[in-house]
Amino acid sequence: MIVFQKITKTFKSGQVVALKNVSLEISQGEFLSLVGKSGAGKSTLLALITLEERPDSGRILIEGQDLSAIKPADSFYLRRKIGVVYQDIKLLPRRTAAENVAFAMEVSGLPDAAIIADVPKILDLVGLKTRGGAFPNELSGGEKQRVAIARALAHKPALLIADEPTGNLDDQNALEILQLLLKINEFGTTVILATHAAALVNKIKRRVVTLEQGEITYDQKRGRYLI
Amino acid sequence: MPTLISLSRVINYGLVNLWRHRLLSLTAVVVMGISMSVLGLLLVVNQLADLSSSTIKDRVDVSIFFTPEATDDQVTEVKAEFEKFEEVKSINFISAEAALEKFKQRHGNDPLIQATLLELEANPLDSTLVVTAHDLGQYPLLIQKIERSRFHPLIKEINYEDNRALIERLDTITQGIRNFGVLLAVIFGCTTVLVTFNTLKLTIFSRREEIEIMRLVGASNWYIRGPYLVEGTAYGIFGGVISSSLIYPFLAFVEHGASNFFGFRLPQASFFHEGFWLLIIIQIGVGIGLGVISSVIATRRHLQI
Ligand SMILES: Nc1ncnc2c1ncn2[C@@H]1O[C@H](COP(=O)(O)OP(=O)(O)OP(=O)(O)O)[C@@H](O)[C@H]1O
Ligand SMILES: [Mg+2]
């Protein structure tokens, strides 16, 4: 589904090397954990998929399409096929949980009827059935993450990208979020999870790719996170 | 392709935006309204200047008065001859009898004049040819030609009031008004674009979080820019409506004076009558134009990713 071919990405005109010669293949329906220390290049790799960043060299293919052929003005089309949970959550503070989810659906052009019907279902799926009317500052960290996941799922993407969704959560909450992502994966959505929570990834026995200073050092089918 | 749903959402966002920061919007609308009022005034003044200069030009003519001995047939012959001059645009023949008839009619209710006329045996008025030229500059030559023609003995008097100096001065003033008007319109236009642009820039900044998320969840550029285009357009419409409603009483007030000045009702097509709709359309149209230009610049500069 997604192919990275010898991707290099630098910042500040080459001073900071975020990704070095990264090659990676992700299949449809896979659950992939991307692990590595802070600054290893996880978020950068994800940003390349959503066209927020462009590689310095190398090629990225999604469903056979070369991303370098997509003009910035057309990137929205790709983004509609991808749901993203951001490291910094990015919920609109003055909209309720339900409105945040509905906003994403409006933007992608879904009709009102579908939005009204789907928002409660999605909130139910992430376990926030009764919290739809709450504003982000009235929600706990875990609940905010759930809203962010709900929003990422709103337009029924084929690929869900979650960048550090468990970052500030206690073990119990982190595990619940992880289980939610696994459930979503079971429905057929490809999931890429970036995290540095070792214990968490060890539990799930799925593919783990390890990044160290911008390079892939391990790629384990059902592996344990080694660092 | 923007669907109908997206279009209605874009319009809705735009109007909601506008209402959310209504104080800021008000500034843009007021500036827009002032500019459109200035534009409207300039158009009206320009039209009045044009009308007055063409009215005066239309009234310039040469009257040739014939001696009482000249018969109507002779005068008709003269008319035919003079019509061959290339400078001549029209010649109107008023026979002595017709002139008298007209005079009587005009002073019909003045008993003193009526009595005087009765006492006179012969018609005191002359047969007259009223000649107009195609162009103001042609009158001196035309008069020379008439004086040198073989019919000169029949002519008692040639009456030409040389208004050229006056008309030229009027033309200079009209041109001056026009130049000044264009300058003024450009200044106000630029100011409007600047103020509107800044207003939109502020609203874009105040919503940059939302805009970023819109982008990230897959909003098209068109969808993100649309609301600001709607806002800019709305400023233009409101500004145009304001200026149109200001200019209406102004025109009603001026019309009275203008009609007195010209001595007749202003032309039907002028801004004072049917042309008023044109004036409204121009003001709202230009307002929309400026609004759209401002929002295009604002979104170009501040909505890039
Ligand atoms: N926009 C940017 N400008 C300059 N440097 C950047 C930029 N984005 C990332 N970097 C640098 O690139 C490297 C990789 O950053 P990245 O955000 O991908 O790390 P990460 O693995 O996601 O880290 P974390 O776990 O802390 O989120 C870091 O050294 C970072 O400082
Ligand atoms: Mg990161």
Side-chain angles (χ1 to χ4, degrees):
Chain A
M1 186 193 197
I2 305 173
V3 183
F4 280 73
Q5 293 173 343
K6 298 188 172 166
I7 293 295
T8 297
K9 173 70 186 174
T10 63
F11 291 106
K12 298 192 175 151
S13 50
Q15 284 175 7
V16 180
V17 181
L19 292 173
K20 210 187 294 173
N21 209 21
V22 168
S23 293
L24 182 65
E25 211 163 306
I26 304 165
S27 342
Q28 182 88 47
E30 201 161 17
F31 190 110
L32 183 142
S33 302
L34 195 59
V35 297
K37 290 198 188 106
S38 185
K42 305 181 293 292
S43 296
T44 305
L45 192 132
L46 300 181
L48 290 171
I49 299 176
T50 54
L51 284 175
E52 286 160 73
E53 299 287 355
R54 301 267 182 172
D56 296 356
S57 64
R59 268 202 329 163
I60 305 170
L61 304 172
I62 295 187
E63 288 175 333
Q65 189 186 20
D66 189 341
L67 294 196
S68 66
I70 301 177
K71 282 180 268 158
D74 294 330
S75 52
F76 70 92
Y77 196 71
L78 176 72
R79 287 179 189 158
R80 284 190 190 168
K81 295 195 225 163
I82 305 173
V84 186
V85 181
Y86 290 92
Q87 192 163 5
D88 51 354
I89 303 183
K90 294 189 208 274
L91 292 177
L92 291 170
R94 273 182 289 176
R95 293 185 192 236
T96 64
E99 283 166 356
N100 266 285
V101 177
F103 181 69
M105 296 175 83
E106 279 174 26
V107 164
S108 32
L110 292 167
D112 288 346
I115 297 175
I116 292 167
D118 283 359
V119 169
K121 284 187 206 159
I122 297 169
L123 286 175
D124 192 16
L125 173 74
V126 299
L128 288 177
K129 198 173 182 175
T130 57
R131 302 292 280 144
F135 288 92
N137 65 0
E138 298 165 353
L139 296 169
S140 73
E143 286 170 330
K144 272 187 242 182
Q145 283 295 356
R146 287 167 193 271
V147 178
I149 293 170
R151 182 182 62 191
L153 292 175
H155 53 288
K156 302 190 169 63
L159 170 66
L160 180 70
I161 293 175
D163 193 354
E164 213 73 69
T166 56
N168 305 314
L169 305 181
D170 60 48
D171 288 353
Q172 178 58 32
N173 268 301
L175 191 62
E176 279 175 19
I177 293 290
L178 194 65
Q179 277 160 353
L180 174 59
L181 293 177
L182 283 167
K183 183 162 96 181
I184 292 160
N185 179 241
E186 273 164 30
F187 294 148
T189 308
T190 310
V191 175
I192 305 177
L193 163 71
T195 181
H196 42 42
L200 201 70
V201 173
N202 283 339
K203 283 199 173 99
I204 58 171
K205 302 273 187 286
R206 297 294 185 103
R207 184 177 174 194
V208 176
V209 170
T210 308
L211 273 177
E212 276 177 69
Q213 293 177 4
E215 288 180 283
I216 295 183
T217 49
Y218 297 95
D219 185 349
Q220 296 153 302
K221 268 272 168 319
R222 291 184 165 270
R224 290 175 62 86
Y225 173 30
L226 293 178
I227 296 171
Chain B
M1 268 306 285
T3 62
L4 219 57
I5 296 173
S6 302
L7 184 68
S8 74
R9 279 183 192 151
V10 160
I11 292 172
N12 191 39
Y13 286 165
L15 297 179
V16 167
N17 273 2
L18 187 144
W19 183 244
R20 276 206 192 142
H21 49 256
R22 41 197 172 278
L23 222 64
L24 209 58
S25 305
L26 191 68
T27 328
V29 169
V30 166
V31 170
M32 194 69 97
I34 292 172
S35 285
M36 293 310 104
S37 302
V38 169
L39 178 74
L41 283 183
L42 289 173
L43 288 172
V44 169
V45 168
N46 185 42
Q47 192 176 59
L48 282 180
D50 266 358
L51 276 175
S52 63
S53 107
S54 66
T55 308
I56 290 177
K57 279 177 196 165
D58 281 351
R59 284 183 194 175
V60 174
D61 54 31
V62 179
S63 297
I64 308 169
F65 298 102
F66 289 86
T67 58
E69 290 75 41
T71 64
D72 281 3
D73 286 346
Q74 278 174 317
V75 176
T76 312
E77 193 192 338
V78 175
K79 179 175 183 254
E81 194 68 23
F82 285 178
E83 270 169 350
K84 290 176 191 154
F85 294 162
E86 56 179 348
E87 293 86 1
V88 170
K89 184 175 156 200
S90 71
I91 300 184
N92 202 3
F93 172 38
I94 304 164
S95 70
E97 293 74 34
L100 183 64
E101 210 44 53
K102 219 168 154 188
F103 187 81
K104 276 182 183 166
Q105 254 173 31
R106 202 182 317 155
H107 300 282
N109 40 19
D110 188 333
L112 190 67
I113 290 177
Q114 294 290 344
T116 318
L117 283 173
L118 280 177
E119 276 174 30
L120 290 170
E121 286 157 30
N123 182 350
L125 299 176
D126 309 311
S127 295
T128 316
L129 287 181
V130 179
V131 185
T132 61
H134 290 292
D135 191 275
L136 282 178
Q138 292 170 329
Y139 281 101
L141 187 67
L142 188 59
I143 289 163
Q144 264 184 23
K145 278 188 173 175
I146 293 168
E147 279 171 345
R148 287 192 194 141
S149 77
R150 61 194 166 90
F151 302 107
H152 192 242
L154 292 175
I155 293 172
K156 184 168 130 193
E157 195 190 335
I158 297 173
N159 189 346
Y160 173 60
E161 232 180 293
D162 195 347
N163 282 326
R164 267 186 311 146
L166 175 72
I167 289 164
E168 269 161 23
R169 248 184 61 207
L170 198 67
D171 277 349
T172 324
I173 293 170
T174 314
Q175 192 56 45
I177 291 175
R178 203 164 289 157
N179 292 344
F180 178 68
V182 168
L183 185 74
L184 213 61
V186 168
I187 291 173
F188 272 87
C190 290
T191 312
T192 310
V193 169
L194 225 72
V195 170
T196 313
F197 164 79
N198 266 313
T199 307
L200 291 170
K201 187 174 108 178
L202 284 174
T203 79
I204 288 172
F205 277 148
S206 73
R207 301 170 73 75
R208 59 187 179 281
E209 240 184 341
E210 202 158 313
I211 291 166
E212 190 199 353
I213 290 169
M214 282 169 100
R215 270 196 200 293
L216 295 174
V217 298
S220 65
N221 271 351
W222 179 88
Y223 191 83
I224 294 172
R225 290 175 79 163
Y228 301 96
L229 290 174
V230 169
E231 256 192 88
T233 309
Y235 294 154
I237 293 173
F238 289 141
V241 168
I242 288 179
S243 68
S244 299
S245 50
L246 285 181
I247 212 149
Y248 185 76
F250 172 78
L251 286 186
F253 174 73
V254 168
E255 188 193 1
H256 186 67
S259 301
N260 284 346
F261 175 73
F262 292 117
F264 57 79
R265 265 174 72 79
L266 289 160
Q268 207 52 35
S270 74
F271 291 140
F272 296 88
H273 300 290
E274 278 152 19
F276 183 63
W277 293 110
L278 183 65
L279 193 63
I280 291 182
I281 291 167
I282 291 175
Q283 292 185 79
I284 295 179
V286 172
I288 291 174
L290 294 183
V292 167
I293 290 172
S294 315
S295 45
V296 166
I297 301 174
T299 52
R300 271 267 165 86
R301 290 192 57 175
H302 299 289
L303 279 184
Q304 286 311 4
I305 195 165

